Amino acid sequence: MEKDKIKELNSFASQVRRDIVRMVHAQNSGHPGGSLGCVEFFTSLYQGIMNHNSNFNMDGINEDLFFLSNGHISPVFYSVLARSGYFPIRELSSFRMIDSRLQGHPTTHEGLPGVRIASGSLGQGLSVAIGAALSKKMNNDKSIIYSLHGDGELQEGQIWEAAMYAAANNVDNLISTIDYNGRQIDGDVDDVLSLGDLNAKWEAFGWDVMSCNGNSINEIYTTLENAKLKTNNGKPIMIIMSTEMGYGVDYMMGSHKWHGVAPNDEQLQIALNQLEETLGDY
Amino acid sequence: MKIEILGNSDTRSGFGAGLSQLGETHKNVVALCADLTGSLKMNDFQNKYPERFFQAGIAEANMISMAAGMTIGGKIPFTGTFANFSTSRVYDQVRQSIAYSGKNVKLCASHAGLTLGEDGATHQVLEDIGMMKMLPGMTVINPCDYNQTKAATIAIADHFGPVYLRFGRPKVPIFIPENTPFEIGKALMLKEGTDVSIFATGHLVWEAVEAAKTLAEEGISVELINIHTIKPLDNESILSSVTKTKCVVTAEEHQIAGGMGESIAQLLAKNNPTPIEFVAVDDKFGESGKPADLMKKYGLHSSDIIKATHRVLKRK
């Protein structure tokens, strides 16, 4: 990957991280940990990987589409959508406020451009992505469907119904990803309900499984590029992204405690001091 | 409307016939089924339009959310499984992926109510109308015979938004003429009368027709209205009828709680408080048995509508 491109994407990512901590701080509510851990993924997706149109149309014909299944990491989704041109960046200041389009969990209900399905209640997004992928096939639309899921979310049974369906029906225009940070609300995933051998599980279900460091722009971007080359080969693709919850803010890393807790004024300043303002705060 | 028996068939076959017709006329209609293709009478669509038919297996949650995803790109998905598995099993999927997300999915539900028969209470859902009508934006339709089910199936394809279409298993009389227009949200006047308004939906419409005949012999003039659309309710037709008759009997194959009768009672309580009797299941689970026997045991027979009419007339 070109050094300039990596630099550009890291610069974008730094601004997104500032947005996340500021949004969650402003309402003293939201989920900073998982959001921070997925910044490199969202940045890669919307700043190069996907062929998408910020002039939003629900049907998204001849566009690549993304579905966020673990809707609680809405701050990173909203920041990247806004900074990719879907809606005004200043609207980020309305996150989780009354009368806002930026609901706590993403929804189509308020008409926020860039969101195609409500998510929040976990486990449904993979099925939705498969449905959209099948719709593309029926429309003879060669675009790709992407989805993101939390690792804790994989405890939901519906995920495995969907996993079975996609492989059995050769849904091979689908690249799904897992935010494998090993943490969930009650603690480490291994302690709450261990996922066992995740690679082996997805392989056994018939998926083409890839893995990478999800907090390295170079690695996630390159892995997504390679995944694109593997589409239309009869198998759905799963990328297991090893990530660090809270990545980029030192005191939020290494623990599950910042899953759904907002920083106070002092903590916000400490975080912002670690994150360069590159594109201008909202 | 002149009411006479035109034939005998199951409402699910009306759904199957309507779906096949849509396959021809609506190229964006797709169908999904969770291992009940024969029971839902979806075989004809499956055979004629295999590229638009999706076998989901026994995985209803996945099927419902996939249907939501298929709307993105312009498809009109019709999901088919039993009423219990179309509602209570997948309530969160219907709520978040379809209703809250405003997706154009048609939830087509067979084997609703006690008339499912011998399989018993695990499969006899009597709470589905309540669950579905509580969801904002959801249209709820419960047609009464083969012809009306076929017409409703075709009508919902041209209505944008989520729809719950409820039908059943047993063969019942066909009595709605084939060319009767089906208008979502518009009640169907079956017989005008002056003494009592009977509002009936689904399989109970035929029971109400039979009850009205007996009541006529007793000199009681029944106004019989078929409420095929429970949500949105045809407030105008209901209020107009009640202004004339001043008492009401509702009849449905559902729990009293959450049913059509409850919706009508709410409308009347607000606009025109009126004596009302409910012919419906009174807070009980069903059981195994022949459909006709179950309908008698649980108080859903034409004789129960007659008794309810006698009760309500005394309360006028």
Side-chain angles (χ1 to χ4, degrees):
Chain A
M1 205 179 161
E2 282 178 26
K3 279 187 178 168
D4 282 355
K5 181 71 176 173
I6 295 175
K7 196 178 167 194
E8 177 198 324
L9 294 182
N10 275 324
S11 161
F12 187 93
S14 181
Q15 187 64 50
V16 170
R17 286 199 160 89
R18 287 182 69 90
D19 290 347
I20 292 167
V21 291
R22 293 182 70 236
M23 287 162 75
V24 173
H25 168 264
Q27 275 299 94
N28 192 27
S29 171
H31 298 77
S35 294
L36 289 167
C38 289
V39 171
E40 280 74 21
F41 167 70
F42 276 86
T43 298
S44 300
L45 210 55
Y46 280 88
Q47 293 293 309
I49 292 294
M50 285 205 302
N51 167 38
H52 66 105
N53 184 356
S54 59
N55 185 9
F56 182 71
N57 171 282
M58 179 57 80
D59 282 336
I61 304 290
N62 295 323
E63 277 185 69
D64 296 334
L65 309 180
F66 168 71
F67 293 93
L68 176 65
S69 191
N70 47 333
H72 57 275
I73 65 164
S74 56
V76 62
F77 192 22
Y78 293 154
S79 166
V80 170
L81 283 175
R83 294 192 179 274
S84 300
Y86 280 83
F87 55 86
I89 292 167
R90 65 176 178 280
E91 203 171 337
L92 295 175
S93 65
S94 72
F95 175 62
R96 283 186 174 238
M97 290 171 72
I98 197 163
D99 295 329
S100 172
R101 298 197 292 181
L102 279 62
Q103 292 289 297
H105 293 79
T107 171
T108 58
H109 198 255
E110 322 299 331
L112 186 69
V115 181
R116 289 190 164 85
I117 195 84
S119 61
S121 177
L122 296 171
Q124 300 181 27
L126 185 55
S127 307
V128 172
I130 292 167
L134 293 169
S135 190
K136 290 247 180 248
K137 280 179 180 277
M138 282 186 276
N139 289 338
N140 203 23
D141 177 342
K142 303 297 183 198
S143 313
I144 297 171
I145 301 292
Y146 294 86
S147 66
L148 174 64
H149 313 269
D151 48 3
E153 183 184 10
L154 304 182
Q155 290 156 357
E156 292 281 5
Q158 188 181 348
I159 289 284
W160 303 100
E161 292 184 9
M164 198 184 304
Y165 185 94
N169 290 280
N170 309 112
V171 182
D172 57 4
N173 53 346
L174 172 66
I175 299 175
S176 294
T177 60
I178 295 167
D179 177 19
Y180 195 24
N181 59 26
R183 310 198 194 275
Q184 59 188 107
I185 298 178
D186 274 357
D188 288 354
V189 175
D190 277 344
D191 294 333
V192 176
L193 178 59
S194 174
L195 301 173
D197 187 337
L198 205 49
N199 277 61
K201 278 193 168 74
W202 286 97
E203 274 170 13
F205 271 78
W207 287 56
D208 194 337
V209 183
M210 304 169 76
S211 53
C212 71
N213 175 355
N215 292 133
S216 155
I217 280 283
N218 189 21
E219 271 205 42
I220 183 61
Y221 198 98
T222 308
T223 305
L224 285 165
E225 286 282 23
N226 290 336
K228 278 159 86 168
L229 300 175
K230 291 182 166 214
T231 55
N232 299 310
N233 276 326
K235 281 185 170 188
I237 296 159
M238 175 57 75
I239 303 175
I240 299 176
M241 306 186 295
S242 295
T243 59
E244 177 72 55
M245 191 184 261
Y247 190 79
V249 177
D250 57 6
Y251 62 84
M252 290 191 182
M253 292 162 67
S255 158
H256 66 276
K257 286 190 297 188
W258 292 91
H259 167 88
V261 176
N264 62 26
D265 294 350
E266 191 186 341
Q267 290 162 332
L268 174 70
Q269 275 317 312
I270 295 168
L272 292 177
N273 289 341
Q274 297 171 21
L275 302 165
E276 189 188 350
E277 182 178 353
T278 52
L279 302 171
D281 287 337
Y282 65 81
Chain B
M1 181 183 286
K2 185 169 183 290
I3 299 175
E4 54 183 353
I5 295 184
L6 306 167
N8 205 46
S9 188
D10 41 4
T11 50
R12 56 184 165 145
S13 286
F15 163 68
L19 186 64
S20 291
Q21 189 168 319
L22 287 171
E24 175 63 29
T25 56
H26 291 61
K27 299 299 180 198
N28 283 340
V29 165
V30 302
L32 301 88
C33 188
D35 196 34
L36 287 168
T37 314
S39 297
L40 269 285
K41 306 292 180 188
M42 297 169 85
N43 306 83
D44 192 50
F45 184 96
Q46 180 185 19
N47 292 334
K48 284 182 180 155
Y49 313 102
E51 73 290 350
R52 285 191 271 150
F53 178 81
F54 299 86
Q55 172 59 266
I58 312 167
E60 293 84 6
N62 182 51
M63 175 175 76
I64 295 298
S65 303
M66 279 204 309
M70 282 185 188
T71 64
I72 299 162
K75 304 302 166 196
I76 307 173
F78 281 59
T79 64
T81 182
F82 288 169
N84 189 29
F85 312 138
S86 300
T87 57
S88 51
R89 183 164 189 100
V90 293
Y91 199 59
D92 189 35
Q93 285 77 16
V94 171
R95 181 176 180 274
Q96 176 173 285
S97 293
I98 296 177
Y100 184 44
S101 293
K103 296 304 183 197
N104 192 22
V105 175
K106 317 304 170 186
L107 302 159
C108 303
S110 185
H111 294 54
L114 293 172
T115 52
L116 170 141
E118 294 83 347
D119 279 346
T122 53
H123 288 50
Q124 292 161 341
V125 73
L126 291 164
E127 303 82 26
D128 54 327
I129 290 173
M131 281 185 275
M132 291 295 113
K133 80 177 186 184
M134 280 198 293
L135 294 172
M138 182 67 73
T139 294
V140 179
I141 299 174
N142 187 191
C144 64
D145 75 348
Y146 174 97
N147 284 342
Q148 193 174 68
T149 309
K150 184 180 175 188
T153 303
I154 292 164
I156 61 176
D158 291 324
H159 164 88
F160 188 90
V163 175
Y164 179 62
L165 181 67
R166 178 197 212 235
F167 42 90
R169 179 187 182 214
K171 286 191 161 58
V172 292
I174 303 173
F175 57 98
I176 302 292
E178 201 178 349
N179 55 0
T180 307
F182 186 89
E183 196 180 332
I184 295 169
K186 184 71 197 150
L188 186 63
M189 176 70 78
L190 295 178
K191 179 185 170 302
E192 291 192 43
T194 52
D195 294 333
V196 59
S197 298
I198 299 181
F199 300 114
T201 193
H203 289 142
L204 268 290
V205 179
W206 179 252
E207 297 297 326
V209 168
E210 301 246 85
K213 278 185 216 157
T214 306
L215 289 165
E217 288 162 12
E218 296 174 10
I220 297 166
S221 168
V222 169
E223 178 143 297
L224 176 54
I225 296 181
N226 168 210
I227 307 292
H228 51 64
T229 307
I230 293 152
K231 184 184 175 187
L233 201 59
D234 186 351
N235 296 353
E236 199 182 322
S237 294
I238 292 166
L239 290 172
S240 152
S241 176
V242 171
T243 303
K244 183 169 58 174
T245 62
K246 300 186 171 53
C247 69
V248 171
V249 173
T250 64
E252 63 193 307
E253 191 180 349
H254 191 272
Q255 302 285 359
I256 294 174
M260 171 200 68
E262 183 194 76
S263 292
I264 291 172
Q266 189 184 64
L267 174 76
L268 296 175
K270 191 172 174 188
N271 296 279
N272 184 4
T274 308
I276 181 166
E277 291 285 335
F278 306 97
V279 174
V281 177
D282 191 5
D283 203 26
K284 289 187 182 73
F285 287 109
E287 65 182 79
S288 293
K290 298 283 176 210
D293 295 339
L294 291 168
M295 296 292 265
K296 276 188 188 145
K297 177 166 178 176
Y298 288 85
L300 304 183
H301 187 254
S302 60
S303 60
D304 296 298
I305 298 174
I306 293 167
K307 282 181 225 157
T309 304
H310 291 152
R311 285 198 303 272
V312 84
L313 285 169
K314 286 184 194 147
R315 294 172 55 199
K316 267 176 105 166

